[in-house]
Amino acid sequence: MPPSDELLASFRHSLPPPDPAWPPEVRALVTYLHHHLFDPALRAATARQALGLRDHNVTSLFAACLGCGIRAYVNRRRVEAAQVLLRQTPAAVTEIALAVGYASLSTFHRVFRRETGLTPAAYSGGHCY
């Protein structure tokens, strides 16, 4: 297993478990998102469907419990994982973007900048290209 895979596995295991006070649907959805976090095919609709959850109910419950939507939550967690890789590996930004679940480098750059205020290269000190 490459070091980035080990770091990503460690990151996934360090994510806080769902709050027991949350509704069971939200707990199940958070657990599912954590398990599939780095899958580029992860979509909110796919997650809801896999768990047999109704869109309008779980989306509003999720936002009420976590303070953001499902896509925003996934993006935040992926950027956090990318930050770990940028700090702890010599991997290229493209490799990191793919490892954390982005199929598009431009999407990764846009989301990373929105979440951190920096480009991935600026965040890493410019050594990851």
Side-chain angles (χ1 to χ4, degrees), residues 14-107:
S14 74
L15 291 171
D19 188 325
W22 294 341
E25 302 92 337
V26 173
R27 291 194 315 264
L29 184 54
V30 169
T31 298
Y32 183 93
L33 295 174
H34 287 180
H35 183 74
H36 297 277
L37 187 60
F38 306 125
D39 179 354
L42 177 61
R43 303 284 180 273
T46 306
R48 288 189 306 266
Q49 185 178 26
L51 296 169
L53 302 174
R54 298 184 69 189
D55 179 34
H56 59 68
N57 292 335
V58 77
T59 300
S60 59
L61 284 173
F62 187 96
C65 292
L66 283 100
C68 64
I70 296 167
R71 173 58 43 202
Y73 180 79
V74 168
N75 282 332
R76 182 178 341 126
R77 293 303 191 188
R78 285 178 173 177
V79 167
E80 290 170 355
Q83 289 174 301
V84 169
L85 295 179
L86 286 166
R87 285 190 309 263
Q88 297 184 25
T89 72
V93 171
T94 301
E95 183 181 346
I96 290 170
L98 293 172
V100 299
Y102 291 97
S104 162
L105 187 58
S106 63
T107 300

Coordinates of all heavy atoms in Angstrom, one line a residue, residues 14-107:
S14 N -10.0 8.4 11.2 CA -10.0 9.5 12.3 C -11.2 10.4 12.2 O -11.4 11.2 13.1 CB -8.7 10.3 12.1 OG -8.8 11.2 10.9
L15 N -12.0 10.2 11.2 CA -13.2 11.0 11.1 C -14.1 10.8 12.3 O -14.3 9.6 12.7 CB -14.0 10.7 9.8 CG -13.3 11.2 8.5 CD1 -14.0 10.6 7.3 CD2 -13.2 12.7 8.4
P16 N -14.7 11.8 12.8 CA -15.6 11.6 14.0 C -16.8 10.8 13.6 O -17.4 10.9 12.5 CB -16.0 13.0 14.4 CG -15.8 13.9 13.1 CD -14.7 13.2 12.4
P17 N -17.2 9.9 14.5 CA -18.4 9.1 14.2 C -19.6 9.9 14.2 O -19.6 11.0 14.8 CB -18.4 8.0 15.3 CG -17.7 8.7 16.4 CD -16.7 9.6 15.8
P18 N -20.7 9.5 13.6 CA -22.0 10.2 13.6 C -22.4 10.4 15.1 O -22.3 9.5 15.9 CB -22.9 9.4 12.8 CG -22.1 8.5 12.0 CD -20.8 8.3 12.8
D19 N -23.0 11.6 15.3 CA -23.5 11.9 16.6 C -24.7 11.0 16.9 O -25.7 10.9 16.2 CB -23.9 13.4 16.7 CG -24.3 13.9 18.0 OD1 -24.9 13.1 18.8 OD2 -24.0 15.0 18.3
P20 N -24.7 10.3 18.1 CA -25.9 9.5 18.4 C -27.2 10.2 18.5 O -28.2 9.6 18.4 CB -25.5 8.9 19.8 CG -24.0 9.1 19.9 CD -23.6 10.2 19.1
A21 N -27.1 11.5 18.7 CA -28.3 12.3 18.8 C -29.0 12.6 17.5 O -30.1 13.0 17.4 CB -28.0 13.7 19.5
W22 N -28.2 12.4 16.4 CA -28.8 12.6 15.1 C -29.8 11.5 14.7 O -29.7 10.4 15.2 CB -27.7 12.6 14.0 CG -26.7 13.7 14.1 CD1 -26.8 14.9 14.7 CD2 -25.4 13.7 13.5 NE1 -25.7 15.7 14.6 CE2 -24.8 15.0 13.8 CE3 -24.7 12.8 12.7 CZ2 -23.5 15.3 13.4 CZ3 -23.4 13.2 12.3 CH2 -22.8 14.4 12.7
P23 N -30.7 11.8 13.8 CA -31.7 10.8 13.4 C -30.9 9.6 12.7 O -29.8 9.8 12.2 CB -32.5 11.5 12.4 CG -32.4 13.0 12.7 CD -31.0 13.1 13.2
P24 N -31.5 8.4 12.8 CA -30.8 7.3 12.2 C -30.4 7.4 10.8 O -29.4 6.9 10.3 CB -31.7 6.1 12.5 CG -32.9 6.6 13.2 CD -32.7 8.1 13.4
E25 N -31.3 8.1 10.0 CA -31.0 8.3 8.6 C -29.8 9.1 8.4 O -29.0 8.8 7.5 CB -32.2 9.0 7.9 CG -33.5 8.3 8.0 CD -34.3 8.8 9.2 OE1 -33.8 9.3 10.2 OE2 -35.6 8.6 9.2
V26 N -29.6 10.1 9.2 CA -28.4 11.0 9.0 C -27.2 10.2 9.5 O -26.1 10.3 8.8 CB -28.6 12.3 9.8 CG1 -27.3 13.1 9.8 CG2 -29.7 13.1 9.3
R27 N -27.3 9.5 10.6 CA -26.1 8.7 11.0 C -25.7 7.7 9.9 O -24.5 7.5 9.6 CB -26.5 7.9 12.3 CG -26.6 8.9 13.5 CD -26.6 8.1 14.8 NE -27.4 6.9 14.9 CZ -28.7 6.9 15.3 NH1 -29.3 8.0 15.8 NH2 -29.4 5.8 15.4
A28 N -26.7 7.0 9.3 CA -26.4 6.0 8.2 C -25.8 6.7 7.0 O -24.8 6.2 6.4 CB -27.7 5.3 7.8
L29 N -26.2 7.9 6.7 CA -25.7 8.6 5.5 C -24.3 9.1 5.8 O -23.4 8.9 4.9 CB -26.6 9.8 5.2 CG -26.3 10.6 4.0 CD1 -26.1 9.8 2.7 CD2 -27.3 11.7 3.7
V30 N -24.0 9.6 7.0 CA -22.6 10.0 7.3 C -21.7 8.8 7.3 O -20.6 8.9 6.7 CB -22.6 10.8 8.7 CG1 -21.2 11.0 9.2 CG2 -23.3 12.1 8.6
T31 N -22.1 7.7 7.8 CA -21.3 6.5 7.8 C -21.0 6.1 6.4 O -19.9 5.8 6.0 CB -22.0 5.4 8.6 OG1 -22.1 5.8 9.9 CG2 -21.2 4.1 8.5
Y32 N -22.0 6.1 5.5 CA -21.9 5.8 4.1 C -20.9 6.7 3.4 O -20.0 6.3 2.7 CB -23.2 5.8 3.4 CG -23.2 5.4 2.0 CD1 -23.4 4.1 1.6 CD2 -22.9 6.3 0.9 CE1 -23.4 3.7 0.3 CE2 -22.8 5.9 -0.4 CZ -23.1 4.6 -0.7 OH -23.0 4.2 -2.0
L33 N -21.1 8.0 3.7 CA -20.2 9.0 3.0 C -18.7 8.8 3.5 O -17.8 8.9 2.7 CB -20.6 10.4 3.4 CG -22.0 10.9 2.8 CD1 -22.4 12.2 3.4 CD2 -22.0 10.8 1.3
H34 N -18.5 8.5 4.7 CA -17.2 8.3 5.2 C -16.5 7.1 4.5 O -15.4 7.1 4.1 CB -17.1 8.1 6.7 CG -17.4 9.4 7.5 ND1 -17.4 9.4 8.9 CD2 -17.6 10.6 7.1 CE1 -17.6 10.6 9.3 NE2 -17.8 11.4 8.2
H35 N -17.3 6.0 4.4 CA -16.8 4.8 3.8 C -16.5 5.0 2.3 O -15.6 4.4 1.8 CB -17.9 3.7 3.9 CG -17.4 2.4 3.4 ND1 -16.5 1.6 4.0 CD2 -17.7 1.7 2.3 CE1 -16.2 0.5 3.3 NE2 -17.0 0.6 2.3
H36 N -17.3 5.8 1.6 CA -17.1 6.0 0.1 C -16.5 7.4 -0.2 O -16.5 7.8 -1.4 CB -18.4 5.9 -0.6 CG -19.1 4.5 -0.4 ND1 -18.7 3.5 -1.2 CD2 -20.0 4.1 0.5 CE1 -19.4 2.4 -0.9 NE2 -20.1 2.7 0.2
L37 N -15.9 8.1 0.8 CA -15.4 9.4 0.6 C -14.5 9.7 -0.6 O -14.6 10.7 -1.3 CB -14.7 9.9 1.9 CG -14.3 11.3 2.0 CD1 -15.5 12.2 1.9 CD2 -13.6 11.6 3.3
F38 N -13.6 8.8 -0.9 CA -12.7 9.0 -1.9 C -13.0 8.3 -3.2 O -12.2 8.3 -4.2 CB -11.3 8.5 -1.5 CG -10.9 9.1 -0.2 CD1 -10.5 8.3 0.9 CD2 -10.9 10.5 0.0 CE1 -10.1 8.9 2.1 CE2 -10.5 11.1 1.2 CZ -10.1 10.2 2.3
D39 N -14.3 7.9 -3.3 CA -14.8 7.3 -4.6 C -15.3 8.5 -5.5 O -16.2 9.2 -5.1 CB -16.0 6.4 -4.3 CG -16.6 5.8 -5.5 OD1 -16.2 6.1 -6.6 OD2 -17.5 4.9 -5.3
P40 N -14.6 8.6 -6.7 CA -15.0 9.7 -7.5 C -16.5 9.6 -8.0 O -17.1 10.6 -8.4 CB -14.1 9.6 -8.7 CG -13.4 8.3 -8.6 CD -13.6 7.8 -7.2
A41 N -17.1 8.5 -7.9 CA -18.5 8.3 -8.3 C -19.5 8.6 -7.2 O -20.7 8.5 -7.4 CB -18.7 6.9 -8.8
L42 N -19.0 9.0 -6.0 CA -19.9 9.3 -4.9 C -20.7 10.5 -5.3 O -20.3 11.6 -5.6 CB -19.0 9.6 -3.7 CG -19.8 10.0 -2.4 CD1 -20.8 8.9 -2.0 CD2 -18.9 10.4 -1.3
R43 N -22.0 10.3 -5.1 CA -23.0 11.4 -5.3 C -24.0 11.3 -4.2 O -24.3 10.2 -3.7 CB -23.8 11.2 -6.7 CG -22.9 11.2 -7.9 CD -22.4 12.6 -8.3 NE -21.6 12.6 -9.5 CZ -20.3 12.4 -9.5 NH1 -19.6 12.1 -8.4 NH2 -19.6 12.4 -10.6
A44 N -24.6 12.4 -3.9 CA -25.6 12.4 -2.8 C -26.8 11.5 -3.2 O -27.3 10.8 -2.3 CB -26.1 13.9 -2.5
A45 N -27.2 11.6 -4.4 CA -28.4 10.8 -4.8 C -28.1 9.3 -4.8 O -28.9 8.5 -4.3 CB -28.8 11.2 -6.2
T46 N -26.9 9.0 -5.1 CA -26.5 7.5 -5.1 C -26.4 7.1 -3.6 O -26.9 5.9 -3.4 CB -25.1 7.4 -5.8 OG1 -25.1 7.9 -7.1 CG2 -24.7 5.9 -5.8
A47 N -25.9 7.9 -2.8 CA -25.8 7.5 -1.3 C -27.2 7.3 -0.8 O -27.5 6.4 -0.1 CB -25.0 8.6 -0.6
R48 N -28.1 8.3 -1.0 CA -29.5 8.2 -0.5 C -30.1 7.0 -1.1 O -30.8 6.2 -0.4 CB -30.3 9.5 -0.9 CG -29.9 10.7 -0.1 CD -30.8 11.9 -0.4 NE -31.0 12.2 -1.8 CZ -30.3 13.1 -2.5 NH1 -29.4 13.8 -1.9 NH2 -30.5 13.3 -3.7
Q49 N -30.0 6.7 -2.4 CA -30.6 5.5 -3.0 C -30.0 4.2 -2.4 O -30.8 3.3 -2.1 CB -30.4 5.6 -4.5 CG -31.1 4.5 -5.2 CD -30.9 4.5 -6.7 OE1 -29.8 5.1 -7.2 NE2 -31.8 4.0 -7.5
A50 N -28.7 4.2 -2.2 CA -28.1 3.0 -1.6 C -28.7 2.7 -0.2 O -28.8 1.5 0.2 CB -26.6 3.1 -1.6
L51 N -29.0 3.7 0.5 CA -29.5 3.5 1.8 C -31.1 3.5 1.9 O -31.6 3.4 3.0 CB -29.0 4.7 2.7 CG -27.5 4.7 2.9 CD1 -27.1 6.0 3.6 CD2 -27.0 3.5 3.7
G52 N -31.7 3.7 0.7 CA -33.2 3.7 0.7 C -33.8 4.9 1.4 O -34.9 4.8 2.0
L53 N -33.1 6.1 1.3 CA -33.6 7.3 2.0 C -34.3 8.2 1.0 O -33.9 8.3 -0.2 CB -32.4 8.0 2.6 CG -31.6 7.2 3.6 CD1 -30.3 8.0 4.0 CD2 -32.4 6.8 4.8
R54 N -35.3 8.9 1.4 CA -36.1 9.8 0.6 C -35.3 11.2 0.6 O -34.9 11.7 1.6 CB -37.5 10.0 1.2 CG -38.2 8.6 1.1 CD -39.6 8.8 1.6 NE -40.3 9.6 0.5 CZ -41.5 10.0 0.7 NH1 -42.1 9.8 1.8 NH2 -42.1 10.7 -0.3
D55 N -35.2 11.7 -0.6 CA -34.4 12.9 -0.9 C -34.8 14.1 0.0 O -34.0 14.6 0.8 CB -34.6 13.3 -2.3 CG -33.8 14.6 -2.7 OD1 -32.7 14.8 -2.1 OD2 -34.3 15.3 -3.5
H56 N -36.0 14.5 0.0 CA -36.4 15.8 0.7 C -36.2 15.6 2.2 O -35.9 16.6 2.9 CB -37.8 16.2 0.3 CG -38.9 15.2 0.6 ND1 -39.2 14.9 1.9 CD2 -39.7 14.5 -0.2 CE1 -40.2 14.0 1.8 NE2 -40.5 13.8 0.6
N57 N -36.5 14.5 2.8 CA -36.4 14.3 4.2 C -34.9 14.3 4.7 O -34.6 15.1 5.5 CB -37.1 13.0 4.6 CG -38.6 13.0 4.5 OD1 -39.2 14.1 4.5 ND2 -39.2 11.9 4.3
V58 N -34.1 13.4 4.1 CA -32.8 13.3 4.6 C -31.9 14.5 4.3 O -31.0 14.8 5.1 CB -32.1 12.0 4.1 CG1 -31.7 12.0 2.7 CG2 -31.0 11.5 5.0
T59 N -32.1 15.1 3.1 CA -31.3 16.3 2.8 C -31.5 17.4 3.8 O -30.5 18.0 4.3 CB -31.6 16.8 1.4 OG1 -31.4 15.7 0.5 CG2 -30.8 18.0 1.0
S60 N -32.7 17.7 4.2 CA -32.9 18.8 5.2 C -32.5 18.3 6.6 O -31.9 19.1 7.3 CB -34.4 19.2 5.2 OG -35.2 18.1 5.5
L61 N -32.7 17.1 6.9 CA -32.2 16.6 8.2 C -30.7 16.7 8.3 O -30.1 17.1 9.3 CB -32.6 15.1 8.4 CG -34.1 14.9 8.8 CD1 -34.3 13.4 8.8 CD2 -34.3 15.5 10.2
F62 N -30.0 16.3 7.2 CA -28.5 16.3 7.1 C -28.0 17.7 7.4 O -27.2 18.0 8.2 CB -28.0 15.8 5.8 CG -26.6 15.6 5.7 CD1 -26.0 14.4 5.9 CD2 -25.7 16.7 5.3 CE1 -24.6 14.2 5.8 CE2 -24.4 16.5 5.2 CZ -23.8 15.3 5.4
A63 N -28.6 18.7 6.6 CA -28.2 20.1 6.7 C -28.5 20.6 8.1 O -27.6 21.4 8.7 CB -28.9 20.9 5.7
A64 N -29.6 20.2 8.7 CA -29.9 20.7 10.1 C -28.9 20.1 11.1 O -28.5 20.9 12.0 CB -31.3 20.3 10.5
C65 N -28.5 18.9 10.9 CA -27.5 18.3 11.9 C -26.1 18.7 11.7 O -25.3 18.9 12.6 CB -27.6 16.7 11.8 SG -29.2 16.1 12.3
L66 N -25.7 18.9 10.4 CA -24.3 19.1 10.1 C -24.0 20.6 9.7 O -22.8 20.9 9.6 CB -23.8 18.1 9.1 CG -23.5 16.8 9.7 CD1 -24.6 15.8 9.4 CD2 -22.2 16.2 9.2
G67 N -25.0 21.3 9.5 CA -24.8 22.7 9.2 C -24.4 23.0 7.7 O -24.0 24.1 7.4
C68 N -24.5 22.0 6.9 CA -24.1 22.1 5.5 C -24.8 21.0 4.7 O -25.3 20.0 5.3 CB -22.6 22.1 5.2 SG -21.8 20.5 5.7
G69 N -24.8 21.1 3.4 CA -25.4 20.1 2.5 C -24.4 18.9 2.4 O -23.2 19.0 2.8
I70 N -24.9 17.9 1.7 CA -24.1 16.7 1.6 C -22.9 16.9 0.7 O -21.8 16.5 1.1 CB -25.0 15.6 1.0 CG1 -26.1 15.2 1.9 CG2 -24.2 14.3 0.6 CD1 -27.2 14.3 1.3
R71 N -23.0 17.6 -0.4 CA -21.9 17.9 -1.3 C -20.8 18.7 -0.6 O -19.7 18.5 -0.7 CB -22.4 18.5 -2.6 CG -21.3 19.0 -3.5 CD -20.3 18.0 -4.1 NE -20.9 16.8 -4.5 CZ -20.2 15.6 -4.5 NH1 -18.9 15.6 -4.3 NH2 -20.8 14.5 -4.9
A72 N -21.3 19.7 0.1 CA -20.3 20.6 0.9 C -19.6 19.8 1.9 O -18.4 20.0 2.1 CB -21.1 21.8 1.5
Y73 N -20.3 18.9 2.6 CA -19.6 18.0 3.6 C -18.6 17.2 2.9 O -17.4 17.1 3.4 CB -20.7 17.2 4.3 CG -20.1 16.3 5.4 CD1 -19.7 16.8 6.6 CD2 -19.8 14.9 5.1 CE1 -19.2 16.0 7.6 CE2 -19.3 14.1 6.0 CZ -18.9 14.6 7.3 OH -18.4 13.8 8.2
V74 N -18.9 16.5 1.8 CA -17.9 15.6 1.1 C -16.7 16.5 0.7 O -15.6 16.1 0.9 CB -18.6 14.9 -0.1 CG1 -17.6 14.2 -1.0 CG2 -19.6 13.9 0.5
N75 N -17.0 17.6 0.1 CA -15.9 18.5 -0.4 C -15.0 18.9 0.8 O -13.8 18.9 0.6 CB -16.4 19.7 -1.1 CG -16.8 19.4 -2.5 OD1 -16.3 18.5 -3.2 ND2 -17.8 20.1 -3.0
R76 N -15.6 19.3 1.9 CA -14.8 19.7 3.0 C -13.9 18.6 3.5 O -12.7 18.8 3.8 CB -15.7 20.2 4.2 CG -14.9 20.7 5.4 CD -15.7 21.2 6.5 NE -17.0 21.5 6.2 CZ -18.1 21.0 6.9 NH1 -17.9 20.2 7.9 NH2 -19.3 21.4 6.6
R77 N -14.4 17.4 3.6 CA -13.6 16.2 4.1 C -12.6 15.8 3.1 O -11.4 15.5 3.5 CB -14.6 15.0 4.4 CG -15.5 15.3 5.6 CD -14.7 15.6 6.8 NE -15.6 15.5 8.0 CZ -15.3 15.9 9.2 NH1 -14.1 16.4 9.4 NH2 -16.1 15.9 10.2
R78 N -12.9 15.9 1.8 CA -11.9 15.6 0.8 C -10.7 16.6 0.8 O -9.6 16.2 0.7 CB -12.5 15.6 -0.6 CG -13.3 14.3 -0.9 CD -14.0 14.4 -2.2 NE -14.6 13.1 -2.5 CZ -15.3 12.9 -3.6 NH1 -15.4 13.9 -4.6 NH2 -15.9 11.7 -3.9
V79 N -11.0 17.9 1.0 CA -10.0 18.9 1.1 C -9.1 18.7 2.3 O -7.9 18.8 2.3 CB -10.6 20.3 1.0 CG1 -9.6 21.4 1.4 CG2 -11.1 20.6 -0.4
E80 N -9.8 18.3 3.4 CA -9.0 18.0 4.6 C -8.0 16.9 4.4 O -6.9 16.9 4.8 CB -9.9 17.7 5.8 CG -10.7 18.8 6.3 CD -11.8 18.4 7.3 OE1 -12.0 17.2 7.5 OE2 -12.5 19.3 7.8
A81 N -8.5 15.9 3.7 CA -7.6 14.7 3.3 C -6.5 15.2 2.4 O -5.3 14.8 2.6 CB -8.4 13.6 2.7
A82 N -6.8 16.0 1.4 CA -5.8 16.5 0.5 C -4.8 17.3 1.2 O -3.6 17.2 0.9 CB -6.5 17.4 -0.6
Q83 N -5.2 18.1 2.2 CA -4.2 18.9 3.0 C -3.2 17.9 3.7 O -2.0 18.3 3.8 CB -5.0 19.7 4.0 CG -5.7 20.9 3.4 CD -6.5 21.7 4.4 OE1 -7.4 21.1 5.0 NE2 -6.3 22.9 4.5
V84 N -3.7 16.8 4.2 CA -2.8 15.9 4.9 C -1.8 15.4 3.9 O -0.6 15.3 4.2 CB -3.6 14.7 5.5 CG1 -2.7 13.6 5.9 CG2 -4.5 15.2 6.6
L85 N -2.3 15.0 2.7 CA -1.3 14.5 1.7 C -0.4 15.6 1.2 O 0.8 15.3 1.0 CB -2.1 13.9 0.5 CG -3.0 12.7 0.8 CD1 -3.7 12.3 -0.5 CD2 -2.2 11.5 1.3
L86 N -0.8 16.8 1.0 CA 0.1 17.9 0.6 C 1.2 18.1 1.6 O 2.3 18.5 1.3 CB -0.8 19.1 0.4 CG -1.6 19.1 -0.9 CD1 -2.6 20.3 -0.9 CD2 -0.7 19.2 -2.2
R87 N 0.8 18.0 2.9 CA 1.8 18.2 4.0 C 2.8 17.0 4.2 O 3.9 17.2 4.5 CB 1.1 18.5 5.3 CG 0.5 19.8 5.5 CD 0.0 20.1 6.9 NE -0.8 19.0 7.5 CZ -2.1 19.1 7.5 NH1 -2.8 20.1 7.0 NH2 -2.8 18.1 8.0
Q88 N 2.3 15.8 3.9 CA 3.0 14.7 4.4 C 3.6 13.8 3.3 O 4.2 12.8 3.6 CB 2.2 13.8 5.3 CG 1.8 14.6 6.6 CD 1.0 13.7 7.6 OE1 1.1 12.5 7.6 NE2 0.3 14.4 8.4
T89 N 3.3 14.1 2.0 CA 3.8 13.3 0.9 C 4.4 14.2 -0.2 O 4.1 15.4 -0.2 CB 2.7 12.4 0.3 OG1 1.9 13.3 -0.5 CG2 1.9 11.6 1.3
P90 N 5.3 13.7 -1.0 CA 5.8 14.4 -2.1 C 4.9 14.3 -3.4 O 5.4 14.6 -4.5 CB 7.2 13.8 -2.3 CG 7.0 12.4 -1.9 CD 6.0 12.4 -0.8
A91 N 3.7 13.8 -3.2 CA 2.9 13.5 -4.4 C 2.5 14.7 -5.1 O 2.4 15.8 -4.5 CB 1.6 12.8 -3.9
A92 N 2.3 14.6 -6.4 CA 1.9 15.7 -7.3 C 0.4 16.1 -7.0 O -0.3 15.2 -6.6 CB 2.0 15.3 -8.7
V93 N 0.1 17.3 -7.2 CA -1.3 17.8 -6.9 C -2.3 16.9 -7.7 O -3.3 16.6 -7.2 CB -1.4 19.3 -7.3 CG1 -2.9 19.7 -7.2 CG2 -0.6 20.1 -6.3
T94 N -2.0 16.6 -9.0 CA -2.9 15.8 -9.8 C -3.1 14.4 -9.1 O -4.2 14.0 -9.0 CB -2.3 15.6 -11.2 OG1 -2.1 16.9 -11.8 CG2 -3.2 14.7 -12.0
E95 N -2.1 13.8 -8.6 CA -2.2 12.5 -8.0 C -3.0 12.6 -6.7 O -3.9 11.8 -6.4 CB -0.8 12.0 -7.6 CG -0.8 10.6 -7.0 CD 0.7 10.2 -6.6 OE1 1.6 10.8 -7.1 OE2 0.8 9.2 -5.8
I96 N -2.8 13.7 -6.0 CA -3.6 13.9 -4.7 C -5.1 14.2 -5.1 O -6.0 13.6 -4.4 CB -3.0 15.1 -3.9 CG1 -1.7 14.6 -3.3 CG2 -4.0 15.6 -2.8 CD1 -0.8 15.7 -2.7
A97 N -5.3 15.0 -6.1 CA -6.7 15.2 -6.5 C -7.4 13.9 -6.8 O -8.6 13.7 -6.4 CB -6.8 16.2 -7.7
L98 N -6.8 13.1 -7.6 CA -7.4 11.8 -7.9 C -7.5 10.9 -6.7 O -8.6 10.2 -6.5 CB -6.5 11.0 -9.0 CG -6.5 11.7 -10.3 CD1 -5.4 11.0 -11.2 CD2 -7.8 11.7 -11.0
A99 N -6.6 10.9 -5.8 CA -6.6 10.0 -4.6 C -7.7 10.4 -3.7 O -8.3 9.5 -3.0 CB -5.3 10.1 -3.8
V100 N -8.1 11.7 -3.6 CA -9.2 12.1 -2.7 C -10.5 12.1 -3.3 O -11.5 12.5 -2.7 CB -8.9 13.4 -2.0 CG1 -7.6 13.3 -1.1 CG2 -8.8 14.6 -2.9
G101 N -10.6 11.7 -4.6 CA -11.9 11.5 -5.2 C -12.3 12.5 -6.3 O -13.5 12.4 -6.7
Y102 N -11.4 13.3 -6.7 CA -11.8 14.3 -7.8 C -11.3 13.8 -9.1 O -10.1 13.5 -9.3 CB -11.2 15.7 -7.5 CG -11.8 16.4 -6.4 CD1 -11.3 16.3 -5.1 CD2 -13.0 17.0 -6.5 CE1 -11.9 16.9 -4.0 CE2 -13.7 17.6 -5.5 CZ -13.1 17.6 -4.2 OH -13.7 18.2 -3.1
A103 N -12.2 13.6 -10.1 CA -11.9 13.2 -11.4 C -11.3 14.3 -12.3 O -10.7 14.1 -13.3 CB -13.1 12.5 -12.1
S104 N -11.6 15.6 -11.8 CA -11.2 16.8 -12.6 C -10.2 17.6 -11.7 O -10.6 18.0 -10.6 CB -12.4 17.6 -12.9 OG -12.1 18.9 -13.3
L105 N -9.1 17.9 -12.3 CA -8.1 18.7 -11.6 C -8.7 20.2 -11.4 O -8.5 20.8 -10.3 CB -6.8 18.8 -12.3 CG -5.6 19.5 -11.6 CD1 -5.3 18.9 -10.3 CD2 -4.4 19.4 -12.5
S106 N -9.4 20.7 -12.4 CA -10.0 22.0 -12.2 C -11.0 22.1 -11.1 O -11.0 23.1 -10.3 CB -10.5 22.5 -13.5 OG -11.6 21.7 -13.9
T107 N -11.8 21.0 -10.9 CA -12.8 21.0 -9.8 C -12.0 20.9 -8.5 O -12.4 21.7 -7.6 CB -13.7 19.8 -10.0 OG1 -14.4 19.9 -11.2 CG2 -14.7 19.7 -8.8

